[in-house]
Amino acid sequence: MAGSHHPSVSLLSDDTEKDRRLAILRINLSYVLHESSSSATVGRFAKQLLVNARAATRATRRIETWTDERFLPTIVIRDERVLWDFQRDASPFVLTIDLGASSLLHRALHLLLPSTCPAKTLWSVDRWSAEARSYSCTLFRAETTVALPASSEIPAWFALLVFRPGWRSMLLDLSRLSAATFDRDLVRTLERVIRDYTDQWWCWRPWWPVPAEKALPELQGER
């Protein structure tokens, strides 16, 4: 299962690693917040993400010890009608990204699916493996590359499990992806969830090669 991991491990134990992650966060956040990577706003958000990642790690480890009976009631469904469609669908792949309670997502989906439903493969588009294929798309006005399954079958669903305030309950966010408009649906979904849940986006790799002020003309005067 791709993407099953904690958001951080000993995140602040090494200053060099902390600086490296802050630099990567600044690049990624410059596109999402549409500001120079050196701006105070981007800097504050990057530092808060490190704090949030530690809180998410502690919460994940605590929740992993819960029984299914305790775990299931803590999941809030963003749209029940979408969940019903998901429960009836036989598509094998579910896309996700490293955001929120990502290592608890597979368990949540398993508990919410009917026992007769075929097993689904959870695939994180920001976790590369030998089975992945590169897929170029434009996110936040700049080209980037994500990892999709090498299978010729177009994934039909995107799912996230996000911590709610207090770090003791979670929101399940499901989106359907149409094969006919897959590129548009994927881009729209990625941009929406990253904007909506930026404070839980564990983006430890640079999604773009340079900061936004070097790639977007409207920000080039902000360097």
Side-chain angles (χ1 to χ4, degrees), residues 150-205:
S151 168
S152 59
E153 184 162 351
I154 301 296
W157 291 95
F158 191 97
L160 288 174
L161 192 65
V162 185
F163 286 107
R164 301 175 74 221
W167 306 97
R168 300 191 70 84
S169 62
M170 292 144 287
L171 175 73
L172 178 65
D173 188 320
L174 286 164
S175 298
R176 190 174 189 100
L177 307 171
S178 169
T181 56
F182 178 77
D183 182 77
R184 185 182 67 190
D185 289 357
L186 179 62
V187 167
R188 182 177 58 195
T189 300
L190 283 171
E191 289 189 342
R192 178 184 66 79
V193 299
I194 291 172
R195 281 196 181 104
D196 286 353
Y197 313 119
T198 312
D199 59 343
Q200 294 185 46
W201 182 33
W202 322 126
C203 47
W204 309 134
R205 73 161 181 89

Side-chain angles (χ1 to χ4, degrees), residues 118-133:
K120 294 184 183 294
T121 299
L122 190 61
W123 185 276
S124 187
V125 301
D126 51 1
R127 304 289 290 183
W128 294 87
S129 69
E131 295 78 32
R133 63 182 172 93

Side-chain angles (χ1 to χ4, degrees), residues 10 38 64 70 86 97 99 114 117 129-130 132 166-167:
S10 302
S38 61
E64 282 176 340
R70 184 180 181 187
F86 178 71
I97 58 173
L99 190 155
C117 183
S129 69
W167 306 97

Side-chain angles (χ1 to χ4, degrees), residues 12-188:
L12 303 182
S13 62
D14 181 81
D15 287 340
T16 301
E17 175 64 11
K18 177 183 176 181
D19 290 343
R20 185 187 72 83
R21 292 198 171 191
L22 281 172
I24 292 172
L25 288 174
R26 280 182 173 273
I27 290 176
N28 293 333
L29 290 171
S30 68
Y31 289 89
V32 179
L33 302 180
H34 204 242
E35 290 199 21
S36 167
S37 61
S38 61
S39 76
T41 299
V42 169
R44 285 194 300 270
F45 217 114
K47 290 178 181 178
Q48 187 60 49
L49 261 171
L50 295 184
V51 175
N52 292 353
R54 296 193 69 177
T57 297
R58 291 192 295 268
T60 297
R61 289 171 176 163
R62 180 180 66 250
I63 294 170
E64 282 176 340
T65 67
W66 293 356
T67 63
D68 290 347
E69 290 75 17
R70 184 180 181 187
F71 175 66
L72 191 57
T74 67
I75 301 171
V76 176
I77 311 302
R78 181 172 177 264
D79 190 326
E80 293 280 357
R81 292 171 300 179
V82 176
L83 175 62
W84 298 337
D85 289 341
F86 178 71
Q87 291 171 329
R88 292 191 295 265
D89 193 276
S91 304
F93 288 107
V94 179
L95 300 184
T96 190
I97 58 173
D98 191 7
L99 190 155
S102 55
S103 63
L104 299 170
L105 177 57
H106 188 270
R107 181 185 180 189
L109 294 180
H110 174 73
L111 291 173
L112 289 166
L113 285 171
S115 59
T116 56
C117 183
K120 294 184 183 294
T121 299
L122 190 61
W123 185 276
S124 187
V125 301
D126 51 1
R127 304 289 290 183
W128 294 87
S129 69
E131 295 78 32
R133 63 182 172 93
S134 297
Y135 188 84
S136 296
C137 57
T138 300
L139 289 176
F140 300 102
R141 308 185 190 186
E143 186 172 333
T144 188
T145 303
V146 297
L148 292 185
S151 168
S152 59
E153 184 162 351
I154 301 296
W157 291 95
F158 191 97
L160 288 174
L161 192 65
V162 185
F163 286 107
R164 301 175 74 221
W167 306 97
R168 300 191 70 84
S169 62
M170 292 144 287
L171 175 73
L172 178 65
D173 188 320
L174 286 164
S175 298
R176 190 174 189 100
L177 307 171
S178 169
T181 56
F182 178 77
D183 182 77
R184 185 182 67 190
D185 289 357
L186 179 62
V187 167
R188 182 177 58 195

Side-chain angles (χ1 to χ4, degrees), residues 204-217:
W204 309 134
R205 73 161 181 89
W207 279 54
W208 296 270
V210 296
E213 66 270 21
K214 293 185 178 180
L216 303 180

